Amino acid sequence: MTLKTLRVGAVQVRRMIELAEGQWERSTIERALVSYGWARPADESGGVVVEWGGGPGSPHFFGRAPGDERVGWRIELGGGPTGPEDHSSYVRLPCALFWPAFGEEPADADPDDEDELDGQYGDDWARLPDAARADFHAEYRRIGALIRAELGEPLEVTEGELDEYTESWHLAGLRVTLCRTDDLNSYSHYDVITLGVGPARD
């Protein structure tokens, strides 16, 4: 069993909350991403090098060293924001990965089993190769405490099967979510913790 984290701290949490506190418009979000160093301008026209609509299957990577194709810091982007009623739009920051997925932590785990995708992940990821699922939960609680320091207690808490768990905070038509779920980017090889921002649904 393994845990990988991106060392998400108060700075990253504050930046995501700032996205929910501003105008939910594409140009506003893109300017914020550039100011964070999470995206770069395309040219003098003000365009930004991000691909909206890629979601988990085609995330936007940032902060990688030139030539390093391993997975590092990334954001998952829904459709380009057009306003607070655009429920197809979101920005998600993956924070941690746990293997095996689907809430599993077999009591009789084979010590020879390996996380065969580990080599695809770069040095941005801190590794705990002998972690238990309790460590994954502890990382969720640690990030949740950082959000609570900014926004107080969540408005909603939802629990699903296979260790899924989501807390949501609402801010003027937008919401911040901390989610523990299946990692679609790795084709469900991992469970993932994501910190997301997007329009709140009724």
Side-chain angles (χ1 to χ4, degrees):
M1 292 164 291
T2 65
L3 172 65
K4 286 186 270 292
T5 75
L6 277 172
R7 305 178 181 92
V8 169
V11 170
Q12 290 80 20
V13 168
R14 169 94 300 265
R15 287 173 174 175
M16 291 294 286
I17 291 171
E18 284 173 357
L19 296 181
E21 292 174 336
Q23 294 295 314
W24 194 251
E25 301 288 346
R26 179 170 177 162
S27 61
T28 303
I29 300 296
E30 289 181 348
R31 282 195 302 271
L33 296 180
V34 169
S35 73
Y36 299 163
W38 295 2
R40 58 183 175 83
D43 51 40
E44 296 81 11
S45 69
V48 175
V49 183
V50 294
E51 185 173 344
W52 291 99
S58 184
H60 166 72
F61 293 95
F62 63 92
R64 290 195 295 200
D68 188 354
E69 295 302 316
R70 295 175 300 168
V71 176
W73 285 95
R74 70 183 192 263
I75 47 176
E76 299 169 357
L77 302 169
T82 59
E85 302 303 317
D86 180 6
H87 293 147
S88 70
S89 62
Y90 59 81
V91 177
R92 284 192 204 120
L93 177 68
C95 304
L97 299 169
F98 185 81
W99 174 84
F102 306 119
E104 293 183 6
E105 186 172 48
D108 57 349
D110 185 339
D112 294 327
D113 281 352
E114 293 184 4
D115 172 8
E116 67 265 18
L117 296 188
D118 184 65
Q120 298 179 17
Y121 290 78
D123 296 337
D124 291 328
W125 293 88
R127 289 167 167 80
L128 286 80
D130 299 315
R133 185 159 286 272
D135 298 306
F136 185 56
H137 288 190
E139 181 67 2
Y140 183 94
R141 290 192 300 273
R142 184 189 70 81
I143 298 169
L146 294 173
I147 302 171
R148 283 172 170 80
E150 297 271 352
L151 301 177
E153 291 299 314
L155 183 65
E156 295 177 73
V157 175
T158 58
E159 195 167 359
E161 298 178 350
L162 306 178
D163 202 33
E164 292 183 329
Y165 195 81
T166 301
E167 297 172 318
S168 300
W169 293 259
H170 289 226
L171 293 155
L174 298 173
R175 69 175 182 164
V176 174
T177 58
L178 182 63
C179 187
R180 194 172 69 225
T181 189
D182 176 30
D183 180 44
L184 299 181
N185 181 262
S186 65
Y187 296 97
S188 303
H189 181 76
Y190 296 107
D191 282 347
V192 64
I193 297 170
T194 62
L195 174 55
V197 177
R201 297 180 184 276
D202 296 332

